[in-house]
Amino acid sequence: MSRGGAAHMLNVLALELIADVMKWENEEATREYAWLRLISSMKYDGYSDFRAGVRFLESLVSWLRQFDEADRAAAYSFVKERLVYISGLEMQRVIETFIPEVVFPYLRVSVAEEFGIKPYEVWRTKETAAAFGRRLRRCLFVGLSDGSRIDVLRRANAGRLSQEQVIPMMNVDDEKWKSLAEDLMKELGNDARFDDVYLIDDFTASGTTFIRFPDGKPKGKLHKFESIVQHAKERLVGAGEAFPLSDHYTLHIHHYVSTKQAHDALVERVTEADHRLVAKSFGNWKITEGMLLPSDIRVATIDKETRGAATIRPTDGPIVELCSRYYDHELFERLEKHCREAGQSDMKYGYADCALPLVLEHNTPNNAVPLLWAETNGKAGNPMHPLFFRRDRHG
């Protein structure tokens, strides 16, 4: 049998097993088979962290079996009606539109203000078009993690961006800072500096880890970047070298995908950091995203004051109940330090109580409801089996 034929037979077997687990009659099974085949081939089979020999249908069989028979319909309905899956192609599209749809409009407004014209008039003269090109060259793009997909960003903007204004990670050594400064001055003159710095990451759900002040001391990616910049500037300027960032440059914090909860939290926390960080390197700041997920994406809205109470949409009631009953408190114990910082006493709704029905093609965030991703042995509750296996850097 060919490889394609074997794969087809496995799909048929998996579908039959799902029908058996769900106790579907023939008519219902036929209807659901059509949807399962479509969604598997179009999206879910592309999930990068399925284990060897397992794709969505096989994973779904094992996942459904963990629930009592009376609860399986609610679990299946949650996957069919509420799950949001961002595929690799969708993420690539968000990355490709970052420069033309986020950076360019900002620069057009800046150049227009400089010349006293309307933003749409920037392209009318060679002078203003050249000024736009110079402003673009004075933007530095910094990846904060592997998820920033700097390789995709570079390919999508070949001819627009210089290789010497895009760096894949924020851990920049002194030689790289010197190289960035030399190349920029060679192109635009000895006074040229980066006026705008974009810190880029793939996804934020809570916005709580970017900058925070536990025990009054700053932590998070913004604090780390600030420390790197200030120490490097002190060393290079002290040695008579040029430093590539302008004094009080504009800081842009950009996520390819963000929840409304995270956007609001970032605004609040960066506002706090603006006042509390000592001798910060940046001046103005902006928070942007390529795809903003609305507030009602959440399965349950957790009240910030009471933390334990949940305001639940009627259609989400069954899955919220499953989150409570099919839960192993071992999840919280693994991440207790981080959860305590987020004000949590359990992980029933995921990190920071985000309660997201969300899966990203390359991994499932721990802000998603744990029913989707958690794998435990039941040491402190119900054993949990993942539908989309998560790679957890915290252990």
Side-chain angles (χ1 to χ4, degrees):
M1 183 181 294
S2 68
R3 183 177 299 176
H8 174 72
M9 288 299 296
L10 288 173
N11 277 348
V12 170
L13 178 60
L15 288 168
E16 290 176 350
L17 288 171
I18 293 171
D20 181 62
V21 168
M22 295 298 298
K23 306 301 180 186
W24 287 333
E25 298 294 336
N26 286 342
E27 184 177 342
E28 185 176 13
T30 300
R31 183 171 61 250
E32 296 303 329
Y33 285 177
W35 178 78
L36 286 166
R37 286 193 182 100
L38 175 66
I39 202 67
S40 299
S41 60
M42 292 294 292
K43 279 203 166 186
Y44 299 162
D45 277 352
Y47 186 65
S48 63
D49 278 323
F50 280 134
R51 285 160 173 164
V54 174
R55 284 294 177 263
F56 175 67
L57 295 179
E58 293 87 350
S59 183
L60 182 61
V61 173
S62 299
W63 185 72
L64 288 169
R65 280 177 171 162
Q66 75 181 303
F67 301 104
D68 293 339
E69 189 173 317
D71 293 326
R72 290 172 185 170
Y76 180 79
S77 178
F78 168 64
V79 172
K80 184 175 181 180
E81 297 173 10
R82 288 288 272 125
L83 184 62
V84 176
Y85 181 97
I86 299 178
S87 70
L89 287 175
E90 288 167 330
M91 184 64 80
Q92 180 171 331
R93 180 58 180 159
V94 172
I95 297 170
E96 290 172 345
T97 59
F98 165 47
I99 298 297
E101 294 187 6
V102 176
V103 179
F104 280 9
Y106 163 76
L107 294 180
R108 281 199 301 270
V109 170
S110 298
V111 174
E113 290 176 350
E114 179 184 345
F115 284 86
I117 58 178
K118 301 292 185 183
Y120 60 82
E121 296 178 316
V122 165
W123 310 114
R124 288 183 60 182
T125 68
K126 290 183 179 179
E127 181 185 12
T128 52
F132 179 90
R134 290 193 297 272
R135 279 302 307 273
L136 177 60
R137 182 61 180 87
R138 296 203 303 272
C139 293
L140 180 66
F141 301 92
V142 183
L144 296 182
S145 71
D146 292 341
S148 58
R149 313 285 181 90
I150 292 299
D151 57 334
V152 178
L153 181 67
R154 279 175 166 156
R155 286 198 301 272
N157 294 284
R160 287 177 177 158
L161 302 181
S162 165
Q163 294 295 309
E164 293 301 321
Q165 66 181 128
V166 184
I167 50 182
M169 300 296 285
M170 63 176 166
N171 294 317
V172 185
D173 61 27
D174 288 355
E175 288 303 312
K176 183 61 177 178
W177 285 121
K178 289 166 61 177
S179 172
L180 291 170
E182 290 167 2
D183 282 291
L184 185 61
M185 291 188 293
K186 188 182 298 183
E187 287 189 42
L188 300 183
N190 289 337
D191 294 331
R193 299 291 185 272
F194 289 110
D195 297 326
D196 295 272
V197 176
Y198 285 82
L199 302 184
I200 306 167
D201 217 339
D202 59 341
F203 174 70
T204 180
S206 67
T208 58
T209 58
F210 194 84
I211 182 67
R212 56 196 186 280
F213 294 87
D215 303 320
K217 297 179 181 179
K219 289 182 66 176
K221 293 178 180 178
L222 179 56
H223 169 62
K224 184 177 180 181
F225 182 73
E226 267 292 289
S227 297
I228 290 170
V229 167
Q230 292 191 26
H231 292 154
K233 184 175 183 179
E234 183 180 343
R235 289 191 300 270
L236 292 174
V237 173
E241 301 284 352
F243 191 69
L245 304 188
S246 296
D247 293 336
H248 307 299
Y249 60 85
T250 299
L251 175 70
H252 303 257
I253 299 166
H254 182 82
H255 290 87
Y256 296 134
V257 180
S258 172
T259 65
K260 180 65 166 56
Q261 176 184 345
H263 176 93
D264 293 345
L266 280 170
V267 170
E268 180 181 333
R269 286 167 179 262
V270 178
T271 299
E272 180 184 9
D274 202 1
H275 295 290
R276 296 184 65 170
L277 290 178
V278 177
K280 67 184 190 302
S281 63
F282 61 91
N284 294 331
W285 52 269
K286 296 180 180 293
I287 308 248
T288 58
E289 51 278 318
M291 182 190 301
L292 183 63
L293 302 174
S295 299
D296 63 2
I297 190 178
R298 301 175 66 186
V299 169
T301 303
I302 309 301
D303 184 89
K304 290 184 178 179
E305 297 300 322
T306 61
R307 274 291 169 186
T311 303
I312 304 166
R313 294 193 295 178
T315 55
D316 282 343
I319 195 62
V320 171
E321 185 183 349
L322 295 187
C323 286
S324 180
R325 288 197 286 119
Y326 293 88
Y327 168 69
D328 186 352
H329 200 59
E330 180 191 350
L331 282 179
F332 176 82
E333 293 168 358
R334 289 182 195 170
L335 298 170
E336 183 168 359
K337 178 182 176 182
H338 302 280
C339 290
R340 294 289 184 193
E341 287 181 0
Q344 291 179 261
S345 58
D346 63 57
M347 275 282 285
K348 292 177 182 178
Y349 297 106
Y351 180 72
D353 289 328
C354 288
L356 296 177
L358 181 71
V359 175
L360 305 178
E361 174 269 341
H362 67 284
N363 202 10
T364 303
N366 65 1
N367 311 85
V369 291
L371 280 182
L372 288 173
W373 55 267
E375 183 173 42
T376 74
N377 294 321
K379 294 178 181 178
N382 218 67
M384 303 179 75
H385 306 283
L387 178 57
F388 294 94
F389 176 76
R390 166 181 162 76
R391 294 189 184 276
D392 192 343
R393 66 186 179 89
H394 296 296

